[in-house]
Amino acid sequence: MLAAVAAATGLLFAAEALTSPLGPWRASTSTALLGLAAAAVAAALAAARPLVRRAGPLAQSLVTGSLWTGLGLLVATQIPGAAILLLAPAVLAALAPASRLAPIAAALLAVAVWTPLAPALVEALGLSAPLVGATVGWLCTALLPTCAEEPGEKTLSIWTWSFVLVAILAVTLAAVAPRHDVDNPAKANLVHLTDLDVGRAWHVVEAPAGVPEPLAAALAWDEPRALLPWSSRAVPSAPAALLGDAGPRLELRPPAEGDPPGRATMTLRARPGALASMLVIPGGAVATLRVGGRVLDVTALRPGPSDTRVVTVFGCPAEGVEVVADITTAAPWTIVDLAPGLAPDAPASARPEWAVPYQWGDLIAARRSFTPPAAQ
């Protein structure tokens, strides 16, 4: 199994080094999966060939059955429903381990159960060479008791080189194929960000796999930098037209009688139609925090850029949301609100049909700073 993992990982690394990173999801996933699986089978056969020649079918069946049974029992203690995937082939092989029929039947059952697993895992988790190699390599352990080879024969060698050829051809096709198509699109959000403190605006592209070429050619993008206040990811940006001065506000209320020193009671307001609002708070700036009547653990908040913590409020009502904080340091907070949609001058027409918005989608964002007073 280790040989299968190493072969699949090495082949994918070589293909990406010679072309460009394929990414976890691509248009040629099935072709790449075939190539990695073939490489894993070839490596497993090559590694097992000396063992197959030295050990007879009975010894191979007993060792394989013991491995599958042991792992099945271990899995049964954690995921009982999944243990049948391992125990069924092992039990079938144990009915007559010295015969040829039982190991063949067990191998066929293992193939029927485990072959659909690799595509399903890739569909859910993305194409991972170690994952494909481990799955295929483990399946090969069930097939080895059926692979007898006498000294002087070259059956396993022929099969090994056949799978090597398939692996090279399939991965080569996947490497030169387009990375994305309309059925397997790339991710690309267009964000219009206004900084109300300085009166500037930018177009920003959020594209984890890289900005699509037509979109990259649409504007004179600056070098990627961490511009979005809620993310540490470096993103390309280009100057944009201002859309006005509307944006989020954090209004400080007069202190109530009995408030402890440093207690700040505020009202968070967002633009009408805003999808969400965010408070980006410097780390260590508050001791306690309550938003909308809910007490939040400031140490468990989502990390933001430059040692900050992010609070997200969805659907801020017209009357605002109450924010109560015990301020320890008079440091500026960043207030953000996010409205869905595209700015009028957004380069949406340059986004190809094989690139689509994801997660938050296209946004019109506005930010400003606010510094709550600390205890005197």
Side-chain angles (χ1 to χ4, degrees):
M1 189 169 72
L2 294 177
V5 172
T9 303
L11 182 59
L12 183 60
F13 177 81
E16 291 186 328
L18 293 173
T19 55
S20 62
L22 298 179
W25 286 275
R26 58 188 56 76
S28 55
T29 296
S30 57
T31 308
L33 175 59
L34 174 62
L36 297 184
V41 173
L45 291 177
R49 191 183 183 197
L51 300 176
V52 169
R53 286 188 165 190
R54 290 192 178 101
L58 176 59
Q60 295 177 48
S61 296
L62 293 176
V63 171
T64 299
S66 299
L67 288 175
W68 281 64
T69 301
L71 185 58
L73 294 176
L74 179 63
V75 170
T77 64
Q78 305 298 322
I79 316 173
I84 190 64
L85 300 176
L86 297 157
L87 293 177
V91 170
L92 186 56
L95 295 178
S99 69
R100 301 292 295 174
L101 182 60
I104 291 175
L108 291 175
L109 178 59
V111 169
V113 171
W114 281 77
T115 298
L117 191 59
L121 291 174
V122 168
E123 183 71 22
L125 304 176
L127 186 61
S128 166
L131 182 65
V132 174
T135 304
V136 175
W138 178 255
L139 174 60
C140 286
T141 62
L143 302 177
L144 292 181
T146 68
C147 300
E149 184 181 71
E150 298 297 331
E153 292 184 355
K154 296 185 178 181
T155 305
L156 289 182
S157 179
I158 293 173
W159 279 108
T160 299
W161 286 107
S162 299
F163 280 109
V164 168
L165 181 60
V166 171
I168 293 174
L169 290 176
V171 171
T172 300
L173 289 175
V176 300
R179 296 297 186 258
H180 302 282
D181 57 23
V182 293
D183 295 320
N184 301 272
K187 301 175 182 178
N189 285 344
L190 296 176
V191 180
H192 183 281
L193 175 65
T194 300
D195 190 327
L196 297 171
D197 295 332
V198 299
R200 293 185 61 190
W202 299 269
H203 292 300
V204 176
V205 180
E206 284 188 297
V211 179
E213 186 174 343
L215 195 54
L219 294 175
W221 301 99
D222 297 330
E223 285 296 318
R225 57 191 174 108
L227 183 63
L228 299 175
W230 60 85
S231 174
S232 300
R233 178 185 295 162
V235 291
S237 60
L242 287 169
L243 301 182
D245 58 359
R249 304 193 312 277
L250 200 55
E251 301 170 351
L252 185 66
R253 299 181 189 174
E257 187 176 352
D259 279 354
R263 171 71 53 86
T265 301
M266 300 160 282
T267 301
L268 173 65
R269 302 187 188 278
R271 290 174 293 173
L275 173 67
S277 303
M278 293 181 178
L279 302 172
V280 185
I281 305 171
V286 298
T288 65
L289 182 65
R290 188 170 72 245
V291 178
R294 179 182 176 185
V295 177
L296 303 178
D297 180 358
V298 294
T299 63
L301 296 175
R302 179 170 70 85
S306 303
D307 190 28
T308 56
R309 299 293 181 268
V310 180
V311 179
T312 304
V313 179
F314 291 93
C316 187
E319 65 272 16
V321 174
E322 183 184 66
V323 178
V324 181
D326 288 322
I327 308 298
T328 57
T329 303
W333 296 16
T334 300
I335 319 156
V336 187
D337 66 7
L338 310 173
L342 289 164
D345 61 339
S349 60
R351 181 167 53 192
E353 61 179 1
W354 46 264
V356 297
Y358 72 105
Q359 291 182 348
W360 289 95
D362 298 326
L363 295 170
I364 299 175
R367 59 172 288 175
R368 64 163 33 105
S369 299
F370 177 84
T371 304
Q376 300 297 323

